[in-house]
Amino acid sequence: MDLTYSAADEAFRAEVRTWLEDALSGEFAGLRGLGGPGREHEAFEARVAWDRHLATSGWTCLGWPDRYGGRALPLLQQVIFHEEYARSGAPARVSHIGEELLGPTLIAFGTDAQRERFLPGIRNVTELWCQGYSEPGAGSDLAAVATKARLEVSRGSTDRSQEWVVDGQKVWTSLAHVADWCFVLARTEPGSQRHAGLSYLLVPMRQDGVEVRPIEQLTGGSEFNEVFFTGARTDADLVVGEPGDGWRVAMGTLGLERGVSTIGQQVGFARELEGVVALARHNGSLDDPVIADRLVRARMGLEVMRLNALRTLSGAPRQARGPDASASIAKLVWATWHRRLGELAMEVAGPAGITAAAAPYDLDAWQRLFLFTKADTIYGGSNEIQRNIIAERVLGLPREARS
Ligand SMILES: Cc1cc2nc3c(=O)[nH]c(=O)nc-3n(C[C@H](O)[C@H](O)[C@H](O)COP(=O)(O)OP(=O)(O)OC[C@H]3O[C@@H](n4cnc5c(N)ncnc54)[C@H](O)[C@@H]3O)c2cc1C
C-alpha cells in the first residue's frame, strides 16, 4: 500500500491548514478544544455558529456527491481534512449525526423527495438530528425494538391523507435535547418479531407527542436522554426504504458509524496522550519505569491503530483482509485503547486524580477522560458484541445461541 501523498494532496492539506488557522484566530478563537464526548454542553450555540461557518465555506459533507451539496472529495483528501481539523484544535462538530449517519443513509436508501427535503438542512446545519435506536429493552439486541408506529388518517385532513403515529420509549439518545429531528426504528407491523416488520421513520422532535428527559452522567453533563413518544406524528412518506424494511436501512446506517472521521479522532487521541506524558513529566511519575513503559505501549497502540485505519480506508482487496469485520476490529481496538488511556491518566495523576483542587470542584480534564471513556466500550456496539462479530465472521467460531 502506498502511503505517500501526491502534490495535489499536499496542496489540499496546506489549503485546509491555512483556512482553519485563519478561521480559528478571529471570532471563533475561543472555541479551540471545546466540545466532544462528555463535553457536548461546552459553548454549544457558538459551535452551531462554527459549523454553519464551515458549511458556508464549503467544509461540510466533503464526501457527499456534489449533486447533493457535497464536494465528492476522494477518500484521502477527506482523511487529510479530518487530520488537519483535529490538529488545529477546532471544536467538536455538533451536526455530525446528520452529516455522517442520516445524510449518507438518505443518499443510499431515501427517495428524491426525502433527499431534497432533508439534505440541505444537514449540509447547512439548519436542522440537527439524533438517532433513536436503543430502548430500555433493546440495546445490543436491537431487533428487540418495541416502539410502535401505525398509519392513521392525519388530524384535520380533508383528503384522508395519512401519517405515522409513534408510541414508545428510546434511551441514550445523544443530543436529543437539541435535535430538530430523530431517525426512529419502530415496529410498524403488529405481531411482527425481531428483524421483520420494523420501519425507519423520520420524526420531528419539536411536537407535543415527544418528551425528552436528560440523563445525568458520571461526568455531571447530560448529553444523552430518554425520549418518550406518545402519539407523536410524522408524515406517511417520511419512512426511509419500504415500510417493514427498516432493519436493512438501520444496518446501513450502522455500517456508516465511525467512517473516515476516525482518523481525525486518532489525532485527538495523540494530543490526549501527549497531555498525559506532559503530566507525567511534570509530576515526576515519568521516572516510574512501569508508568514509562505503559506510556510507550500507549504510543505504540496509537500507531498500530493509525496504520490499521489507513489499511481499511485504502480499500485493500477484500480477500487480502479476509471476511470483513474491519469496522468491528477498529471499534474494539480504539475503544479499549481510549478507556485504558483514561485509566493511565489517573495513575499518572496519582492522588490528585481523586481530589478536586478548589471550589466549584469541577472535574479536571483527566478525571473527565477517565469517567467518559467508560462509555467508549459500550456505544456504537459494546466490546463483547464486537468480539462476537469477529469470532463468528472472521474466525468462523460457532455462532452463539440466540433466542
Ligand atoms: C455515550 C453513549 C451514547 C449513545 N448514543 C446513542 C444514540 O444516540 N442513539 C441510540 O440509539 N443509542 C445510543 N447509545 C446506546 C448504545 O447503542 C447502547 O448502550 C449499546 O448498544 C449497548 O446496549 P445497552 O446499553 O442496552 O446494553 P446491553 O445490550 O443490555 O448490554 C449489557 C452488557 O451485556 C453485554 N452483552 C449484551 N449482549 C451480549 C452478547 N450477546 N454476548 C456477550 N455480551 C453481551 C454487553 O456487552 C454489555 O456489557 C449510546 C450509548 C452511550 C454509552
Side-chain angles (χ1 to χ4, degrees):
M1 174 185 160
D2 184 5
L3 289 178
T4 49
Y5 296 107
S6 69
D9 293 333
E10 292 299 357
F12 178 76
R13 185 184 292 283
E15 181 195 347
V16 174
R17 191 172 287 184
T18 308
W19 188 88
L20 285 167
E21 261 318 303
D22 285 354
L24 287 167
S25 46
E27 177 194 347
F28 297 108
L31 294 185
R32 281 185 199 254
L34 297 187
R39 299 164 54 198
E40 292 293 1
H41 58 286
E42 292 175 347
F44 193 83
E45 288 306 323
R47 283 164 52 221
V48 172
W50 163 255
D51 270 21
R52 289 186 180 148
H53 182 56
L54 284 173
T56 50
S57 310
W59 294 115
T60 53
C61 307
L62 301 181
W64 290 15
D66 41 16
R67 68 182 180 283
Y68 299 129
R71 289 184 55 180
L73 288 184
L75 200 56
L76 198 54
Q77 293 195 351
Q78 296 175 52
V79 169
I80 290 171
F81 177 82
H82 286 291
E83 282 180 346
E84 290 303 320
Y85 191 90
R87 194 163 287 133
S88 72
R93 300 284 310 276
V94 295
S95 51
H96 55 284
I97 298 178
E99 178 169 333
E100 293 181 18
L101 299 183
L102 185 71
T105 304
L106 289 180
I107 290 171
F109 299 98
T111 60
D112 285 342
Q114 289 166 350
R115 294 185 194 118
E116 265 167 43
R117 164 66 186 84
F118 292 111
L119 294 183
I122 295 173
R123 186 198 168 281
N124 301 327
V125 196
T126 50
E127 286 178 332
L128 298 180
W129 285 83
C130 61
Q131 178 180 26
Y133 280 15
S134 305
E135 299 183 359
S140 305
D141 186 16
L142 188 58
V145 156
T147 292
K148 293 187 175 57
R150 60 188 185 280
L151 278 171
E152 274 186 8
V153 173
S154 310
R155 282 182 300 199
S157 137
T158 48
D159 59 358
R160 303 210 41 84
S161 62
Q162 291 190 305
E163 60 188 357
W164 294 102
V165 180
V166 187
D167 288 287
Q169 184 196 343
K170 297 291 173 180
V171 71
W172 314 124
T173 321
S174 301
L175 302 178
H177 55 296
V178 289
D180 303 288
W181 287 84
C182 183
F183 45 98
V184 174
L185 193 60
R187 199 161 287 289
T188 49
E189 289 175 11
S192 63
Q193 298 220 331
R194 309 293 300 160
H195 313 88
L198 297 167
S199 296
Y200 192 105
L201 304 177
L202 309 177
V203 180
M205 292 293 282
R206 300 180 199 279
Q207 58 168 309
D208 286 347
V210 178
E211 186 193 350
V212 177
R213 293 187 202 160
I215 298 174
E216 192 176 331
Q217 299 158 205
L218 275 175
T219 50
S222 315
E223 62 202 44
F224 41 65
N225 308 269
E226 294 177 293
V227 179
F228 295 84
F229 297 100
T230 313
R233 287 168 185 262
T234 195
D235 293 346
D237 56 359
L238 294 188
V239 54
V240 184
E242 292 299 316
D245 197 24
W247 184 258
R248 194 172 64 91
V249 182
M251 289 305 104
T253 305
L254 284 186
L256 300 162
E257 280 198 71
R258 302 278 152 210
V260 71
S261 59
T262 46
I263 294 276
Q265 176 196 44
Q266 288 172 20
V267 177
F269 288 174
R271 217 182 14 245
E272 286 173 347
L273 177 58
E274 279 164 25
V276 178
V277 172
L279 177 65
R281 198 166 273 134
H282 175 74
N283 72 7
S285 53
L286 198 56
D287 298 333
D288 177 337
V290 175
I291 295 275
D293 184 67
R294 287 181 61 187
L295 288 168
V296 170
R297 281 176 195 280
R299 184 73 191 77
M300 286 160 54
L302 197 57
E303 190 58 21
V304 169
M305 252 190 293
R306 193 179 78 87
L307 293 173
N308 193 44
L310 285 172
R311 183 179 64 143
T312 308
L313 291 173
S314 76
R318 212 183 162 94
Q319 51 292 21
R321 280 191 272 136
D324 201 16
S326 50
S328 291
I329 294 169
K331 169 77 210 307
L332 180 64
V333 171
W334 79 251
T336 307
W337 183 92
H338 203 213
R339 194 181 64 188
R340 284 194 188 134
L341 182 71
E343 290 159 1
L344 182 53
M346 286 296 90
E347 289 203 29
V348 167
I354 52 169
T355 55
Y361 306 110
D362 280 342
L363 299 172
D364 67 23
W366 305 122
Q367 291 164 334
R368 201 180 295 111
L369 180 77
F370 169 68
L371 292 174
F372 198 85
T373 50
K374 301 285 171 211
D376 287 339
T377 53
I378 301 172
Y379 70 84
S382 70
N383 272 13
E384 291 76 15
I385 295 303
Q386 307 301 351
R387 286 198 178 95
N388 281 349
I389 294 171
I390 295 165
E392 293 175 8
R393 295 196 201 150
V394 182
L395 303 177
L397 296 178
R399 283 168 65 84
E400 70 164 340
R402 285 179 169 81
S403 57

Coordinates of all heavy atoms in Angstrom, one line a residue, residues 202-241:
L202 N -38.7 9.1 10.0 CA -38.1 10.5 10.3 C -39.1 11.3 11.1 O -40.2 11.6 10.5 CB -37.7 11.1 9.0 CG -36.8 10.3 8.0 CD1 -36.6 11.0 6.7 CD2 -35.5 9.9 8.7
V203 N -38.8 11.5 12.3 CA -39.9 12.1 13.2 C -39.4 13.5 13.7 O -38.3 13.6 14.3 CB -40.1 11.2 14.4 CG1 -41.2 11.7 15.3 CG2 -40.5 9.8 13.9
P204 N -40.3 14.5 13.6 CA -39.9 15.8 14.1 C -39.9 15.8 15.7 O -40.8 15.2 16.3 CB -41.0 16.8 13.6 CG -42.1 15.9 13.1 CD -41.6 14.5 12.9
M205 N -38.9 16.4 16.3 CA -38.8 16.3 17.7 C -39.6 17.4 18.4 O -40.0 17.3 19.6 CB -37.3 16.5 18.1 CG -36.4 15.4 17.8 SD -36.8 13.9 18.7 CE -36.0 14.3 20.3
R206 N -39.8 18.5 17.7 CA -40.5 19.6 18.4 C -42.0 19.5 18.2 O -42.6 20.2 17.3 CB -39.9 21.0 17.9 CG -38.4 21.0 18.2 CD -37.8 22.3 17.7 NE -36.4 22.2 17.5 CZ -35.5 22.3 18.5 NH1 -35.9 22.5 19.8 NH2 -34.2 22.1 18.3
Q207 N -42.6 18.7 18.9 CA -44.1 18.5 18.9 C -44.5 18.0 20.2 O -43.8 17.4 21.0 CB -44.5 17.5 17.7 CG -43.8 16.1 17.9 CD -44.4 15.1 16.9 OE1 -45.7 15.0 16.9 NE2 -43.6 14.4 16.2
D208 N -45.9 18.1 20.5 CA -46.4 17.7 21.8 C -46.2 16.2 22.1 O -46.0 15.9 23.3 CB -47.9 18.0 21.8 CG -48.2 19.4 21.9 OD1 -47.3 20.2 22.2 OD2 -49.4 19.8 21.6
G209 N -46.2 15.3 21.2 CA -46.0 13.9 21.4 C -44.6 13.5 21.8 O -44.4 12.2 21.9
V210 N -43.7 14.4 21.9 CA -42.3 14.0 22.1 C -41.8 14.6 23.4 O -41.8 15.9 23.5 CB -41.3 14.4 21.0 CG1 -39.9 14.0 21.3 CG2 -41.8 13.7 19.7
E211 N -41.4 13.8 24.4 CA -40.8 14.4 25.6 C -39.4 13.9 25.8 O -39.1 12.7 25.6 CB -41.6 13.9 26.8 CG -41.2 14.5 28.1 CD -41.8 13.9 29.4 OE1 -42.7 13.0 29.2 OE2 -41.3 14.2 30.4
V212 N -38.5 14.8 26.0 CA -37.1 14.5 26.2 C -36.7 14.7 27.6 O -36.9 15.8 28.2 CB -36.2 15.4 25.3 CG1 -34.7 15.1 25.4 CG2 -36.6 15.2 23.8
R213 N -36.1 13.7 28.2 CA -35.7 13.8 29.6 C -34.2 13.5 29.7 O -33.7 12.4 29.4 CB -36.4 12.8 30.5 CG -37.8 13.0 30.7 CD -38.4 12.1 31.7 NE -39.8 11.9 31.6 CZ -40.6 10.9 32.0 NH1 -40.0 10.0 32.7 NH2 -41.9 10.9 31.8
P214 N -33.4 14.5 30.0 CA -31.9 14.3 30.0 C -31.5 13.3 31.1 O -32.1 13.2 32.1 CB -31.4 15.7 30.4 CG -32.5 16.7 30.2 CD -33.8 15.9 30.4
I215 N -30.4 12.6 30.8 CA -29.9 11.6 31.8 C -28.6 12.2 32.3 O -27.7 12.6 31.5 CB -29.6 10.3 31.1 CG1 -30.8 9.6 30.5 CG2 -28.9 9.3 32.0 CD1 -30.6 8.4 29.7
E216 N -28.5 12.3 33.6 CA -27.2 12.9 34.1 C -26.1 11.8 34.2 O -26.4 10.7 34.6 CB -27.5 13.5 35.5 CG -26.2 14.3 35.9 CD -26.4 15.0 37.3 OE1 -27.5 15.3 37.7 OE2 -25.4 15.2 37.9
Q217 N -25.0 12.2 33.7 CA -23.9 11.3 33.6 C -22.9 11.4 34.7 O -22.9 12.4 35.5 CB -23.1 11.5 32.3 CG -23.9 11.4 31.0 CD -23.4 12.2 29.9 OE1 -24.1 12.5 29.0 NE2 -22.0 12.4 29.8
L218 N -22.0 10.4 34.8 CA -21.0 10.4 35.8 C -20.2 11.7 35.8 O -19.7 12.2 36.8 CB -20.0 9.3 35.5 CG -20.2 7.9 36.0 CD1 -19.1 7.0 35.5 CD2 -20.2 7.9 37.5
T219 N -20.0 12.2 34.6 CA -19.2 13.4 34.4 C -19.9 14.7 34.8 O -19.4 15.8 34.8 CB -18.8 13.6 32.9 OG1 -20.0 13.5 32.2 CG2 -17.8 12.6 32.5
G220 N -21.2 14.6 35.2 CA -22.0 15.7 35.6 C -22.8 16.3 34.4 O -23.8 17.1 34.6
G221 N -22.4 16.0 33.2 CA -23.1 16.5 32.0 C -24.3 15.7 31.7 O -24.5 14.7 32.3
S222 N -25.1 16.1 30.7 CA -26.3 15.4 30.3 C -26.4 15.5 28.8 O -27.1 16.3 28.3 CB -27.6 15.9 30.8 OG -27.5 16.2 32.2
E223 N -25.6 14.7 28.1 CA -25.7 14.8 26.6 C -26.5 13.7 25.9 O -26.7 13.8 24.8 CB -24.3 15.0 26.0 CG -23.4 13.8 26.2 CD -22.0 14.1 26.1 OE1 -21.5 15.2 26.6 OE2 -21.2 13.4 25.4
F224 N -26.9 12.8 26.7 CA -27.9 11.9 26.2 C -29.1 11.8 27.0 O -29.1 12.3 28.2 CB -27.3 10.5 25.8 CG -26.4 9.9 26.8 CD1 -26.8 9.5 28.0 CD2 -25.1 9.6 26.4 CE1 -26.0 8.9 28.9 CE2 -24.2 9.0 27.3 CZ -24.7 8.7 28.6
N225 N -30.2 11.2 26.5 CA -31.5 11.4 27.0 C -32.4 10.2 26.9 O -32.2 9.3 26.1 CB -32.2 12.5 26.2 CG -31.4 13.8 26.1 OD1 -31.5 14.7 26.9 ND2 -30.6 13.8 25.1
E226 N -33.5 10.2 27.7 CA -34.6 9.3 27.4 C -35.5 10.1 26.5 O -35.7 11.3 26.7 CB -35.4 9.0 28.7 CG -34.6 8.2 29.7 CD -35.4 8.0 31.0 OE1 -35.7 8.9 31.7 OE2 -35.8 6.8 31.2
V227 N -36.1 9.5 25.5 CA -37.1 10.1 24.6 C -38.4 9.3 24.7 O -38.4 8.1 24.4 CB -36.6 10.3 23.2 CG1 -37.6 10.9 22.3 CG2 -35.3 11.1 23.2
F228 N -39.5 10.0 25.0 CA -40.8 9.3 25.1 C -41.7 9.8 23.9 O -41.8 11.0 23.8 CB -41.5 9.6 26.4 CG -40.7 9.1 27.6 CD1 -39.7 9.8 28.2 CD2 -41.1 7.8 28.1 CE1 -39.0 9.2 29.3 CE2 -40.4 7.3 29.2 CZ -39.3 8.0 29.8
F229 N -42.1 8.9 23.1 CA -43.1 9.2 22.1 C -44.5 8.8 22.5 O -44.7 7.6 22.8 CB -42.7 8.4 20.8 CG -41.3 8.8 20.2 CD1 -40.2 8.0 20.4 CD2 -41.2 10.0 19.5 CE1 -39.0 8.3 19.9 CE2 -39.9 10.3 19.0 CZ -38.8 9.5 19.2
T230 N -45.4 9.7 22.6 CA -46.7 9.4 23.0 C -47.7 10.0 22.0 O -48.0 11.2 22.0 CB -47.0 10.0 24.4 OG1 -45.9 9.7 25.2 CG2 -48.3 9.5 25.0
G231 N -48.0 9.2 21.0 CA -48.9 9.7 19.9 C -48.1 10.8 19.1 O -48.8 11.7 18.5
A232 N -46.8 10.6 19.0 CA -46.0 11.6 18.1 C -46.4 11.3 16.7 O -46.7 10.2 16.3 CB -44.5 11.4 18.4
R233 N -46.3 12.3 15.8 CA -46.8 12.2 14.5 C -45.7 12.6 13.5 O -44.9 13.5 13.7 CB -48.0 13.1 14.2 CG -49.2 12.4 14.9 CD -50.4 13.3 15.0 NE -51.4 12.5 15.8 CZ -52.4 11.8 15.3 NH1 -52.6 11.8 14.0 NH2 -53.2 11.1 16.1
T234 N -45.8 11.9 12.3 CA -44.9 12.3 11.2 C -45.6 11.9 9.9 O -46.4 10.9 9.9 CB -43.5 11.7 11.3 OG1 -42.6 12.4 10.4 CG2 -43.4 10.2 11.0
D235 N -45.2 12.6 8.8 CA -45.9 12.3 7.5 C -45.7 10.9 7.1 O -44.7 10.3 7.3 CB -45.4 13.3 6.5 CG -45.8 14.7 6.8 OD1 -46.6 14.9 7.6 OD2 -45.1 15.6 6.2
A236 N -46.7 10.4 6.3 CA -46.7 9.0 5.9 C -45.5 8.7 5.0 O -44.9 7.6 4.9 CB -48.0 8.7 5.1
D237 N -45.1 9.8 4.2 CA -44.0 9.5 3.3 C -42.6 9.7 3.9 O -41.6 9.5 3.3 CB -44.1 10.4 2.0 CG -44.1 11.9 2.4 OD1 -44.1 12.2 3.6 OD2 -44.2 12.7 1.5
L238 N -42.5 9.9 5.3 CA -41.2 10.0 5.9 C -40.8 8.7 6.5 O -40.3 8.6 7.6 CB -41.3 11.1 7.0 CG -41.5 12.5 6.4 CD1 -41.3 13.6 7.4 CD2 -40.5 12.8 5.2
V239 N -40.9 7.7 5.7 CA -40.3 6.4 6.0 C -39.2 6.1 5.0 O -39.4 6.3 3.8 CB -41.4 5.3 6.0 CG1 -42.1 5.2 4.7 CG2 -40.8 3.9 6.3
V240 N -38.0 5.8 5.5 CA -36.8 5.6 4.6 C -36.8 4.1 4.2 O -36.8 3.2 5.1 CB -35.5 6.0 5.3 CG1 -34.4 5.8 4.3 CG2 -35.6 7.4 5.8
G241 N -36.8 3.8 2.9 CA -37.0 2.4 2.5 C -38.4 2.1 2.6 O -39.3 2.9 2.9

